[in-house]
Amino acid sequence: MGARHALGLGLTVAAVAACGTSLAKAPSGPRAATVTITRGYGERTLSAARAAPGQSALMALRRVSRVSTMYGGRFVQAIDGLAGNQSQGMAWLYFVNGIQANIGSADYTLHPGDREWWDYRYWNDLIQVPVAIGAWPEPFVHGYGGHRPSVSVSGPACAGTVRTALRRAGARVVARSSGWSVRVETFAQAASEVPSSLWQGRGLTVSLDHGRVMVYRGRAGLRPDPRAHALIAGRQPGPATGASAELVVAGDTTAAACAAAHTLAADPGAVRDAYAVALDASGHVIAYGGRP
């Protein structure tokens, strides 16, 4: 996918303006979509609002903020006066339900329950972050593009807390799923399924490297965090955007993995607007991928 799409491309301003105004009012309850605007890999929330499904992601963004575009309206340059800066490697990128969109924001139609998330961040090292965990329990409830997935949850008995949390959120939890899964496991199990070489270069801001938890620190790059005994990170196992997602909840011991799973299930706010997180042995988040 081209960098232009990754940076929030859309249709022309004229085409966007042609959308009707009947979609302005957001419905109440779970049918509403949401628009969240953050900066710095989700470190700071700038605004959040409900939005009506059935309109484009760009139109929904325009209804809650001031948007400036470039290249004939095909590039989101600034939101509420905060502008991208190519020389500094700063730009706006957007996700839907934690999936980094593969089409322009004017081409994506919001569906009921969708979570549209714009983040202003340093992107020179990571143009693509296919799956971010910050919309949890998405993308496992509403999927991407209106296609609701079936998701499997595997691991020790403590994985049941994650399974229960997903069911309560409305996810279709099944015994087996070919593309959508949550895995609660040890570092050793994670490494046997996904070698260290495959953890790197996949848009992961928190990853494993031979048993070490590596945290991407923005301009400072990737660094090991000796305090970390667990991680929660999302991957896209298949080649097609929105066709698969895998959430890895791993620890250096089963107890550490279970502590991280408990945090994910019982305290979703701990990972809200995060790309990926590192946790201590007790399940407390100690580092966020992309943040210094």
Side-chain angles (χ1 to χ4, degrees):
M1 182 179 71
R4 286 188 175 181
H5 277 151
L7 299 177
L9 294 179
L11 296 175
T12 65
V13 172
V16 171
C19 292
T21 59
S22 62
L23 298 172
K25 186 175 181 180
S28 60
R31 285 189 55 79
T34 59
V35 179
T36 301
I37 303 170
T38 67
R39 66 178 301 173
Y41 286 84
E43 184 174 19
R44 180 182 172 191
T45 300
L46 303 180
S47 66
R50 293 187 303 122
Q55 62 184 320
S56 73
L58 182 56
M59 178 58 75
L61 178 65
R62 286 186 178 277
R63 294 192 187 282
V64 300
S65 60
R66 293 178 291 107
V67 180
S68 300
T69 59
M70 296 176 63
Y71 307 116
R74 296 188 56 83
F75 182 87
V76 173
Q77 168 66 8
I79 298 176
D80 289 332
L82 184 60
N85 187 315
Q86 296 245 354
S87 65
Q88 295 181 8
M90 301 297 295
W92 288 100
L93 296 99
Y94 87 104
F95 298 83
V96 177
N97 297 334
I99 303 289
Q100 186 168 324
N102 63 336
I103 60 176
S105 57
D107 296 326
Y108 186 93
T109 299
L110 291 178
H111 296 82
D114 274 355
R115 297 185 179 185
E116 176 183 346
W117 170 22
W118 290 82
D119 187 43
Y120 180 79
R121 68 171 175 87
Y122 180 68
W123 62 272
N124 272 359
D125 298 327
L126 290 172
I127 296 176
Q128 294 296 314
V129 180
V131 180
I133 69 172
W136 170 262
E138 302 296 352
F140 301 105
V141 178
H142 292 98
Y144 180 79
H147 302 291
R148 293 188 63 202
S150 295
V151 56
S152 62
V153 180
S154 62
C158 66
T161 61
V162 176
R163 195 176 293 112
T164 298
L166 282 172
R167 285 197 178 109
R168 287 176 176 170
R172 297 171 177 169
V173 180
V174 298
R176 278 191 174 183
S177 174
S178 59
W180 302 79
S181 63
V182 180
R183 301 199 328 255
V184 181
E185 58 193 3
T186 63
F187 288 171
Q189 291 169 324
S192 68
E193 294 168 356
V194 183
S196 294
S197 60
L198 294 182
W199 277 85
Q200 310 307 318
R202 297 300 177 95
L204 290 162
T205 59
V206 179
S207 59
L208 283 177
D209 182 14
H210 298 92
R212 299 184 303 170
V213 175
M214 308 294 291
V215 179
Y216 175 65
R217 300 291 189 176
R219 296 176 189 273
L222 200 64
R223 298 286 186 270
D225 193 327
R227 305 169 301 160
H229 292 268
L231 61 80
I232 304 173
R235 298 176 60 249
Q236 179 183 297
T241 297
S244 63
E246 179 180 79
L247 193 67
V248 178
V249 184
D252 55 3
T253 65
T254 298
C258 285
H262 176 77
T263 296
L264 184 67
D267 185 15
V271 301
R272 180 67 63 210
D273 299 336
Y275 280 52
V277 297
L279 307 93
D280 64 17
S282 299
H284 297 113
V285 176
I286 57 173
Y288 293 83
R291 305 179 193 178

